[in-house]
Amino acid sequence: MSEIPMRIHKPVFTRLKKIFRFSFLAFLGPGLIATAAGNDAGGIATYSIAGAHFGYALLWTMIPLTLALIIVQEMSARLGAATGKGFSDLVRENFSLRMTVFMMLFMTLANSSLVVSEFAGIAASLELIGISKYVSVPFAAFFIWHLIVKGTYPKAEKVFLVMSALLLTYVPAAFLAHPHWSGVFQGLVKPTSISMPGYLGTLIALIGTTISPYMQIFAQASVVEKGITMADFKSERWDTIIGVLFSNLVAVFIIIATAATLFPAGIVIEAASDAARALSPIAGPFAQILFGVGFLGASLLAAGVLPLTTSFSLANAFGWESGVNRSLDEAPVFYAIFTFLIVLSATIVLSPAISLISLLINLQILNALVLPIELYFMIKLINNRQLMGKYVNGKLYNLCAWTVMGGLTLASIIYVCNVGIAILNRVLDIHLYQAIIKLIFSFA
Amino acid sequence: MDFYLSELLNNAVFNQSHEKIGVVADLAVTDLGQPHPKIRGMVVKRESRKEAVFIPEHDVAAISPKLIRLSTDIVDLHPFVQRNDEVLLAQDVYDKQIVDIDDRRLTRVNDLLLEEYQNFLRLQGVDVSSLGLLKRLNLPNIGNLLKRNIVDWENVQFLGGNSPMKFKVQYKNLEALHPVDIARIIFEGPGYKQGSRVLSSLKDPIAADIIEELSPKLQKNLIESMKLEDVADVIEHMPEYKAADLLVTLGADYAQKILPLIGKEHTAKIQTLLKYPEFSTGAYMRTEYVVIPSGITLDEVFKRVSDLEKLPDFILYFYVLASEQSNHLVGVLSMYELFAADRRTRVESVMIKKLITASPHDHIRESLKKMYRYSLSALPILSKTEEKLLGIVTFRDAISYYLPKRWKVRIRNIFSNGNGV
């Protein structure tokens, strides 16, 4: 048919847009939001602590973590593209009800812990300019709740995104801090294990914040929402990989910047103001402001997305009405869930005895512990031929996926055992402890 | 007596001599499309390491949560294999998505209500409440806060599982809904693979209406997963201007494949529309409207209109042509004049002769401005040189230029909620 009329042939402009999809412009879409939400309050706190307390000693974890994150994120995107469904839908339809409840329980636990950490981030960043958390947190909670209910969140999101983009200044800050580049490279490629208190905990927190379970659910949901199918998955795969590389590169620079400025001075990060000092090479006296605004933007961005994603996941799994375009009468459970999440998180952050920074890092550890559970479900789903057809994992890919899963499980187990022994040590009188061990040995 | 499937599953099954032969693993149904499908039998799991067997309904003497007893001691021990027309309630229906037709919403099967019927059971309804979930998990209903919420199976549209299942799902019940609602419900939830199956099974005019309501991206995904012939049938049922938009969305390659399958007349009209550039008035043109020749009386107009086989969507204005054969527009008769004036008057004396018209190459904004300024519901579109009537553009279609794309149905939108339907 030679006379296919002109309107069908898209103008050159749209074709150009297609070619440049993977370029910088791609980050302006949900890709950037996903990666920015990955580098949220918990992430920045964890990377700062990793750099400030351990110098370049934890830098090596970023290479295996990046590879693992690429594998995991690619699988989530593929699940979304091949089925057109969200993660929780797939879990409900392909596992028993008991397993679904189990999975959703842990997912909700991990996600709510992140909401808490975002509120901790909001509190910490506003404390930099002297606003007490007893003022900032209730106000922020109401503000976010209002944005969600009114459906204006997408607009506000762009503002938060621009604010959090200030954190990109970590990259020049790292260069201006004149780090020992040889030390940096050695730290990157050579796994080092130092027996310092908190080393293992920080490592686990790095895992939890880099590959947080929520990011996979978000990635899958956004693939479904964009209507990407396997036919146009190739470019989506590149989007995923570039997004991961980009966000983890920023993470590496946060570690370098803090390692170069705070570690030599022996500064222990106890408050956000300590972490902010890493930006002083570039911003001088304005470091606190720069850090504060970026930190606040990143926290606000995720503080809205997280409760929403969690409520949608739960509603989909259990067949409740969902969406803010439904009225309160139509979707009571949906409204209840995200309101509860916001109120609960704000309340936890407001409890007086809590150190915001240690809260931030401990919640990342919780995420890391949930991760293997989520991965198990994901690998099972992606290898379900009935569901995925020919898009199941290949043999080699499966090997990689199970290796990631194994590594993460091992790390979690080591950590849990360590904490268990530490608690035992503290609870039991040391002599009693030794007596028990002797007793066991005498039996053996 | 009614009870729930969850109360039956894993209960012991006894034969006539009161010996336990196993536990209930599932119930089988053959036609889910029935208002209340009859249960055909049950799958019984024997002791571990032995294959499950099928017990047909006529071998069952009593069935209730209290007692399940067979009327025979002889059980066919052939291992159970699911037949192509068989649906297993626990395996295939539990936890899957359904549309609640009365409430026009998407939900999930939490439990199934069964009713005694002709010595056995039939499927009565679906429990969509959270209490159903609790009961299946053997959790207590603390303080009796939750209530059951049963939707009669008659008012349920089952959507099926992941992959094309062994059995065929009928989507007849959906046809009771408005196409806009079907578009909203189906494409908010079940994913496009199922969506395309639903579309192919609906009547073509309904499918056409649904596709019109979807966002371009969703249209593309859905149509690419449908059979070419099905798509051609659906396009035949669309107004030309919408079909043209759809072809633009689908791209030139797809258009080349699909156009030969569509009727010649329809294709020609679509192709004419496609010649107009994007956002020109021509691209928004409708070609279905009522024309009347000048010289007839209003009474005759009434008669002509009632004789029309199918009324076009837009009938506020009637377009008066110079004669029966010509395409030369001489005036427009509005509904108002048709009703207000004496029936014996001739069309020419009441019709509007000073016409506000558009050219197909005008920008749609200009045409919209004209309609707004002169309070018109539509403009006739005339060819520049010969003053021939090519089509009309309505206010509703023109204003879609300003509407955000997301007013169309998209897959449930997490991140820009509120505006999306």
Side-chain angles (χ1 to χ4, degrees), chain A residues 336-371:
Chain A
I337 295 171
F338 76 74
T339 308
F340 175 75
L341 279 177
I342 291 175
V343 172
L344 176 82
S345 311
T347 316
I348 291 176
V349 172
L350 283 183
S351 43
I354 276 177
S355 145
L356 293 175
I357 290 291
S358 71
L359 182 68
L360 275 172
I361 196 157
N362 283 323
L363 292 171
Q364 305 311 314
I365 294 177
L366 184 63
N367 263 280
L369 299 184
V370 173
L371 192 57

Side-chain angles (χ1 to χ4, degrees), chain A residues 86-93 95-113 213 217 308-320 337 341 370 373-374 377 381, chain B residues 108 133 137:
Chain A
F87 184 68
S88 58
D89 289 281
L90 292 179
V91 169
R92 173 75 191 267
E93 283 171 21
F95 290 91
S96 72
L97 185 59
R98 238 162 250 283
M99 291 287 262
T100 308
V101 171
F102 176 77
M103 175 67 230
M104 294 319 284
L105 213 64
F106 276 101
M107 192 214 75
T108 312
L109 184 72
N111 284 3
S112 8
S113 78
I217 290 160
L308 261 183
T309 314
T310 312
S311 329
F312 270 117
S313 295
L314 284 170
N316 288 349
F318 298 115
W320 298 317
I337 295 171
L341 279 177
V370 173
I373 302 174
E374 192 227 10
F377 280 83
L381 281 174
Chain B
R108 280 187 191 279
L133 285 176
L137 293 166

Side-chain angles (χ1 to χ4, degrees), chain A residues 127-138:
Chain A
E127 270 178 2
L128 286 178
I129 52 167
I131 299 175
S132 150
K133 70 175 178 182
Y134 299 101
V135 178
S136 62
V137 170

Side-chain angles (χ1 to χ4, degrees), chain B residues 285-287 289 319 379-382 388-393:
Chain B
M285 185 162 74
R286 283 181 184 233
T287 46
Y289 45 88
Y319 295 90
L379 291 181
I381 302 177
L382 300 185
K388 263 173 43 181
L389 180 62
L390 299 172
I392 61 166
V393 57

Side-chain angles (χ1 to χ4, degrees), chain B residues 140-209:
Chain B
N141 180 17
I142 301 157
N144 286 324
L145 281 175
L146 299 171
K147 286 199 192 75
R148 293 272 188 185
N149 180 7
I150 311 292
V151 185
D152 198 288
W153 189 259
E154 240 180 325
N155 298 323
V156 161
Q157 175 62 61
F158 179 61
L159 291 176
N162 311 317
S163 50
M165 278 185 291
K166 290 178 191 156
F167 51 89
K168 205 171 174 235
V169 182
Q170 299 288 332
Y171 297 98
K172 276 186 302 202
N173 287 0
L174 274 185
E175 291 177 2
L177 293 173
H178 192 283
V180 174
D181 279 327
I182 306 181
R184 179 178 62 86
I185 295 168
I186 300 300
F187 302 106
E188 271 180 9
Y192 19 78
K193 277 189 177 171
Q194 261 160 283
S196 64
R197 254 182 284 149
V198 174
L199 269 190
S200 319
S201 82
L202 290 174
K203 285 189 197 134
D204 291 331
I206 297 180
D209 284 348

Side-chain angles (χ1 to χ4, degrees), chain A residues 110-131:
Chain A
N111 284 3
S112 8
S113 78
L114 282 183
V115 185
V116 176
S117 79
E118 304 317 333
F119 274 99
I122 294 170
S125 59
L126 287 173
E127 270 178 2
L128 286 178
I129 52 167
I131 299 175

Side-chain angles (χ1 to χ4, degrees), chain B residues 30-175:
Chain B
T30 41
D31 189 3
L32 271 183
Q34 293 288 321
H36 298 111
K38 198 168 173 343
I39 313 291
R40 297 294 171 188
M42 57 185 173
V43 181
V44 173
K45 197 167 72 193
R46 297 186 296 151
E47 306 145 43
S48 54
R49 267 188 283 163
K50 282 191 186 167
E51 306 266 11
V53 294
F54 184 75
I55 312 269
E57 45 137 346
H58 53 77
D59 279 351
V60 183
I63 185 158
S64 77
K66 290 194 194 87
L67 175 72
I68 305 166
R69 201 158 66 85
L70 307 186
S71 57
T72 170
D73 282 344
I74 307 152
V75 172
D76 180 4
L77 289 181
H78 280 100
F80 169 72
V81 181
Q82 187 176 6
R83 291 203 321 246
N84 278 349
D85 59 340
E86 258 170 358
V87 184
L88 295 181
L89 294 186
Q91 179 195 302
D92 302 325
V93 183
Y94 257 4
D95 302 319
K96 301 295 185 291
Q97 282 180 314
I98 53 163
V99 178
D100 175 348
I101 301 285
D102 282 349
D103 282 357
R104 293 181 296 170
R105 68 184 189 121
L106 193 69
T107 181
R108 280 187 191 279
V109 178
N110 288 343
D111 210 339
L112 292 165
L113 184 66
L114 304 165
E115 187 192 36
E116 274 186 41
Y117 177 73
Q118 291 178 355
N119 298 326
F120 203 57
L121 301 167
R122 66 177 187 182
L123 180 55
Q124 183 63 28
V126 178
D127 185 0
V128 295
S129 70
S130 304
L131 180 57
L133 285 176
L134 285 187
K135 288 284 177 193
R136 266 177 70 197
L137 293 166
N138 290 325
L139 294 172
N141 180 17
I142 301 157
N144 286 324
L145 281 175
L146 299 171
K147 286 199 192 75
R148 293 272 188 185
N149 180 7
I150 311 292
V151 185
D152 198 288
W153 189 259
E154 240 180 325
N155 298 323
V156 161
Q157 175 62 61
F158 179 61
L159 291 176
N162 311 317
S163 50
M165 278 185 291
K166 290 178 191 156
F167 51 89
K168 205 171 174 235
V169 182
Q170 299 288 332
Y171 297 98
K172 276 186 302 202
N173 287 0
L174 274 185
E175 291 177 2

